Amino acid sequence: MVSQVETPVFDSDRVLNLSVEGLVQVFTSFHRNFFTSVMAQALRIAGQGTSVLVVQFLKGGIGQGHDRPVQLSQNLDWIRCDIPRCIDTPELDDAELASLLELWQYTQAVVHQGKYDLVVLDELSLAINFGLIPQAEVLAFLKQRPRQVDVILTGPEMPQAILDVADQITELRRSHQP
């Protein structure tokens, strides 16, 4: 008795898609104590060799703009608005608004260039809710980003339209009263 084995033939015309699609993650809470866990995640991922960008839209006060990023590790760039204070109101002077919008434009540009694999947009919901960054621009950014880029959005009262496109939503609540 003779057995016959067929050898599979590799079809070189067929291209395998081995890339991983990035996720949109939302971290939201009425309490402002969740950024530490988001930053720990960013540092852990950067430590594994992945390029990470952390953008804090409403933080200022340390003379840092997109042209002067703080490098927390070899693969993690951290940028803020180049303004002397933290933003806690929708009323900004012209220089503050210009710095915020310049940071938003820069962020979109470097993400579209594929420079980073994970992008953390801290307190973006407040910037949207204050009317400083248009929600439609954020939705377009999320849709048009390179497909392998993960994006983490943080802030209280995340708009429903953003939640609707998120792959993962983490809502932190207090389970007891102090």
Side-chain angles (χ1 to χ4, degrees):
M1 177 175 226
V2 177
S3 72
Q4 189 172 351
V5 178
E6 290 186 29
T7 305
V9 178
F10 178 70
D11 182 2
S12 62
D13 294 334
R14 195 172 110 198
V15 178
L16 296 176
N17 183 3
L18 301 176
S19 65
V20 176
E21 187 170 342
L23 299 176
V24 174
Q25 301 176 56
V26 171
F27 285 78
T28 186
S29 175
F30 288 108
H31 310 286
R32 305 183 96 181
N33 58 356
F34 60 89
F35 184 69
T36 303
S37 62
V38 171
M39 193 61 141
Q41 180 179 346
L43 283 166
R44 182 179 65 249
I45 291 169
Q48 295 171 350
T50 300
S51 57
V52 177
L53 175 66
V54 175
V55 183
Q56 291 188 294
F57 287 103
L58 303 184
K59 301 287 192 242
I62 60 173
Q64 174 190 0
H66 68 82
D67 55 336
R68 293 180 307 278
V70 171
Q71 290 192 313
L72 295 180
S73 74
Q74 186 176 8
N75 298 309
L76 192 146
D77 292 339
W78 173 35
I79 55 177
R80 292 178 161 192
C81 278
D82 188 15
I83 57 175
R85 68 179 182 102
C86 292
I87 298 170
D88 59 358
T89 175
E91 288 82 31
L92 304 180
D93 65 31
D94 291 341
E96 291 171 333
L97 183 59
S99 179
L100 176 75
L101 294 177
E102 183 179 350
L103 182 60
W104 172 235
Q105 295 301 320
Y106 172 81
T107 300
Q108 292 178 84
V110 295
V111 170
H112 289 300
Q113 292 169 4
K115 187 173 177 183
Y116 298 98
D117 297 311
L118 170 63
V119 179
V120 176
L121 305 177
D122 185 41
E123 294 188 342
L124 188 66
S125 69
L126 288 174
I128 293 169
N129 292 333
F130 284 166
L132 303 173
I133 296 177
Q135 178 178 292
E137 284 186 23
V138 174
L139 291 168
F141 164 77
L142 293 173
K143 184 177 182 177
Q144 296 166 0
R145 76 188 194 283
R147 67 182 296 264
Q148 78 279 2
V149 175
D150 289 311
V151 178
I152 297 176
L153 306 149
T154 73
E157 300 178 26
M158 190 65 66
Q160 187 61 47
I162 304 289
L163 296 175
D164 290 342
V165 300
D167 297 299
Q168 174 185 323
I169 301 167
T170 302
E171 180 183 6
L172 299 167
R173 298 179 291 199
R174 287 193 177 163
S175 60
H176 67 284
Q177 294 298 322

